Amino acid sequence: VTNMKKNGGNFSTRIRFNDTSERRWREVMYQLCISDDEEILITIRDIHDEIIAEEMKKEKEQLQILQGLGSNAPIGIIKCDIDGNITYANKKSADILGSPSIAETMKINLLTFPLLIECGFSGKLKECLQINQSIVSDIDYISKWGKKVFLRVHIKTWLEQSNIKGAQVIIDDISEIKRLEEELRKTSITDFLTNTYNRRHFVNQLENEIERTKRQGIAFSLVMFDLDYFKSVNDIFGHQTGDIILKCVADVVKKSIRKIDCLARWGGEEFVILMPGTHFDQARVLAERLCKIISETNMPKISRVTASFGVTQYNDNDTVDTIIQKADELTYLAKSRGRNQVAY
């Protein structure tokens, strides 16, 4: 009675029974004055079904609002049951997955669809359903039409009375972000003029190769070359022609080395090649072949350009500085001997 007076005569009660079920009741208190005595009348009404119905109505309204917002959302939204069957999908999810329509998307089972298994999505969904933890993962997805996209997937379970009933999935196409990231990465390691690697990236690769050689004992070699009389080319024909010559030389060399070899512009008209798993004799043969190829290649505006080469192999206790210094000294030795040749 005291509590009901504080609440204006109304009081709601939640009753839990021995079988753990619940009912909600509402009590209403009326104060009656009969003669000189004050009487209190309390009515008790079971409102449990009414509350449940009202809550379900609100949930349905909220779901309709969310689905209305999600249908035109710029990201893919999917809801599935615990067996992987899709119960909701918006238009963007169909577009991302390469499905012709939402209806076709709804036919996909997220746990058994081969393309989703192949890209690793199904495994992530299964893990989420098993451990009941949200998962965020980047995956490479190729649709059945052959379109490749990079996806960022957010997977979260949805529960009913603490039981896992399925999962909610948000799919974001981050292909453009990945493309920009790759362009930025490539820019950071590439010489803008010759499209070879830049000096910083080459040093990083050389450091890694030295560490690998220390662990595995696999030899590697270094080839450095410098274009002969290149200052005269710039002075006579101009720097624009000089830039064209540098690009032509870089292209010629790239076509003549292996994919695992690392060609970098060391500075100006000087280049360097890291050759993993290559002994000195093999590197020397390559340098002599490159020297010949460069000298016989017709260059724009000028008929011919030559280069001087230095070849060295990694030795125990070499560092980045010492092996580069050896290759540099050998390159200048080739120049002092008359240029257009290989020193080793």
Side-chain angles (χ1 to χ4, degrees):
V1 172
T2 302
N3 286 333
M4 292 178 73
K5 285 182 178 180
K6 290 180 181 178
N7 289 278
N10 286 275
F11 194 76
S12 295
T13 306
R14 185 188 298 265
I15 305 297
R16 178 169 292 169
F17 297 95
N18 290 335
D19 61 358
T20 71
S21 63
E22 288 186 351
R23 303 294 293 180
R24 279 174 277 194
W25 296 345
R26 177 172 292 156
E27 297 91 11
V28 180
M29 179 181 73
Y30 300 91
Q31 287 183 285
L32 304 174
C33 289
I34 301 175
S35 300
D36 294 330
D37 298 324
E38 184 179 40
E39 301 287 342
I40 294 176
L41 172 66
I42 298 176
T43 63
I44 301 175
R45 185 163 63 91
D46 186 334
I47 58 171
H48 188 80
D49 292 339
E50 294 178 24
I51 292 176
I52 294 299
E54 184 65 25
E55 289 177 350
M56 291 179 63
K57 180 181 177 182
K58 289 181 179 180
E59 286 181 3
K60 186 176 180 180
E61 290 174 351
Q62 289 176 351
L63 180 60
Q64 289 175 341
I65 293 172
L66 290 175
Q67 290 180 343
L69 293 172
S71 61
N72 295 312
I75 55 176
I77 301 174
I78 294 175
K79 191 174 183 180
C80 71
D81 62 22
I82 197 167
D83 296 318
N85 301 307
I86 296 177
T87 57
Y88 172 80
N90 69 346
K91 184 177 183 304
K92 188 63 177 179
S93 65
D95 294 340
I96 292 174
L97 295 177
S99 183
S101 66
I102 294 177
E104 288 298 316
T105 304
M106 297 285 287
K107 297 177 182 179
I108 295 174
N109 183 290
L110 298 182
L111 292 174
T112 61
F113 189 56
L115 296 179
L116 294 177
I117 294 175
E118 185 178 342
C119 72
F121 171 83
S122 298
K124 296 293 182 183
L125 174 60
K126 186 177 181 180
E127 180 184 355
C128 178
L129 292 171
Q130 288 176 341
I131 66 176
N132 191 22
Q133 288 185 1
S134 299
I135 293 177
V136 179
S137 179
D138 291 353
I139 61 175
D140 299 342
Y141 175 76
I142 301 178
S143 72
K144 64 180 181 179
W145 314 113
K147 182 182 178 182
K148 182 177 180 179
V149 290
F150 295 96
L151 305 179
R152 180 158 293 157
V153 180
H154 303 251
I155 309 174
K156 181 181 180 181
T157 55
W158 59 275
L159 310 175
E160 286 184 6
Q161 297 181 349
S162 300
N163 296 318
I164 298 175
K165 294 297 182 179
Q168 303 169 69
V169 183
I170 295 176
I171 307 174
D172 194 5
D173 185 345
I174 59 171
S175 300
E176 182 63 15
I177 294 174
K178 285 288 187 179
R179 185 187 67 80
L180 293 174
E181 286 178 352
E182 178 57 25
E183 284 187 4
L184 182 60
R185 187 197 69 82
K186 186 176 179 180
T187 300
S188 70
I189 65 174
T190 305
D191 175 66
F192 74 97
L193 177 63
T194 62
N195 200 32
T196 60
Y197 290 116
N198 59 26
R199 184 169 181 158
R200 180 176 62 182
H201 178 72
F202 182 85
V203 170
N204 288 336
Q205 293 298 103
L206 182 54
E207 288 174 343
N208 293 336
E209 195 62 28
I210 289 174
E211 290 303 314
R212 189 171 77 94
T213 299
K214 288 179 179 179
R215 292 194 309 270
Q216 302 177 7
I218 301 174
F220 74 87
S221 296
L222 211 64
V223 175
M224 182 174 284
F225 65 95
D226 188 89
L227 299 187
D228 299 327
Y229 301 113
F230 194 73
K231 184 178 183 302
S232 298
V233 174
N234 284 328
D235 292 342
I236 297 172
F237 300 97
H239 287 278
Q240 186 175 5
T241 298
D243 290 347
I244 294 173
I245 300 302
L246 288 173
K247 288 190 282 187
C248 287
V249 170
D251 289 340
V252 167
V253 173
K254 279 192 286 187
K255 292 175 182 177
S256 303
I257 61 177
R258 304 169 302 175
K259 289 185 178 180
I260 64 170
D261 295 333
C262 179
L263 170 65
R265 186 183 180 193
W266 190 249
E269 65 274 18
E270 194 171 21
F271 295 83
V272 63
I273 308 171
L274 171 63
M275 304 181 66
T278 304
H279 290 280
F280 171 78
D281 289 338
Q282 296 170 304
R284 177 180 56 79
V285 171
L286 173 70
E288 290 173 345
R289 182 160 61 89
L290 290 176
C291 185
K292 186 173 185 295
I293 291 172
I294 292 172
S295 67
E296 293 177 350
T297 301
N298 289 324
M299 297 292 173
K301 294 192 177 183
I302 63 174
S303 60
R304 188 167 174 266
V305 68
T306 62
S308 299
F309 287 74
V311 182
T312 187
Q313 179 177 306
Y314 173 81
N315 294 319
D316 292 341
N317 301 320
D318 261 338
T319 65
V320 169
D321 292 335
T322 60
I323 194 170
I324 287 291
Q325 184 179 355
K326 286 191 297 184
D328 189 55
E329 289 173 351
L330 287 166
T331 301
Y332 279 93
L333 177 61
K335 284 185 177 294
S336 68
R337 290 175 175 175
R339 295 178 170 80
N340 191 26
Q341 60 183 275
V342 179
Y344 46 88

